[in-house]
Amino acid sequence: MDNQFKVSGIAFTIYGACAVLASLCSYIFGVTQLSSVQSLPVSIFLLINTLLAINFLALLCGVYLLKQNEAVHKFALPVSIIILLSVPFGTIAGGIYLMQRFKNI
């Protein structure tokens, strides 16, 4: 059986892995430069954690798209719309999924 979402699965996986690694590195570097996490404003802390969670969801969606899991489309659609705001790489990954998803409509 041919996986019609293979390209978008690869795009989500690469984007998610790179974004999670970049988020974790910037988080660790930021915490080591600042002496404590308590000095961060709550809004910045929430923004960093939200971005990390969305990028991790993109990574998981990519893996499950490659595994041809049908239930992943419930999560991949909102994640692809959210990562469209991550210019330019998130826009490419989200756009590829949306094009493949709505190609038959």
Side-chain angles (χ1 to χ4, degrees):
M1 186 162 120
D2 187 33
N3 186 358
Q4 69 179 16
F5 293 102
K6 185 175 183 178
V7 175
S8 58
I10 292 171
F12 266 60
T13 304
I14 291 172
Y15 168 76
C18 292
V20 166
L21 287 176
S23 297
L24 286 176
C25 288
S26 65
Y27 184 73
I28 291 170
F29 180 70
V31 169
T32 57
Q33 291 298 325
L34 301 170
S35 60
S36 67
V37 177
Q38 285 82 17
S39 63
L40 282 174
V42 174
S43 60
I44 300 296
F45 190 69
L46 287 174
L47 178 67
I48 291 170
N49 288 329
T50 303
L51 289 174
L52 183 63
I54 290 169
N55 293 332
F56 187 69
L57 278 175
L59 174 66
L60 287 177
C61 285
V63 169
Y64 281 106
L65 280 171
L66 290 174
K67 287 185 176 184
Q68 299 180 0
N69 188 343
E70 291 298 321
V72 74
H73 296 289
K74 294 177 184 175
F75 296 102
L77 183 62
V79 167
S80 67
I81 292 170
I82 291 171
I83 68 171
L84 283 173
L85 299 173
S86 298
V87 176
F89 302 113
T91 305
I92 294 169
I96 289 171
Y97 175 75
L98 290 173
M99 282 185 353
Q100 288 183 337
R101 171 81 189 242
F102 296 112
K103 183 168 72 171
N104 295 334
I105 293 178

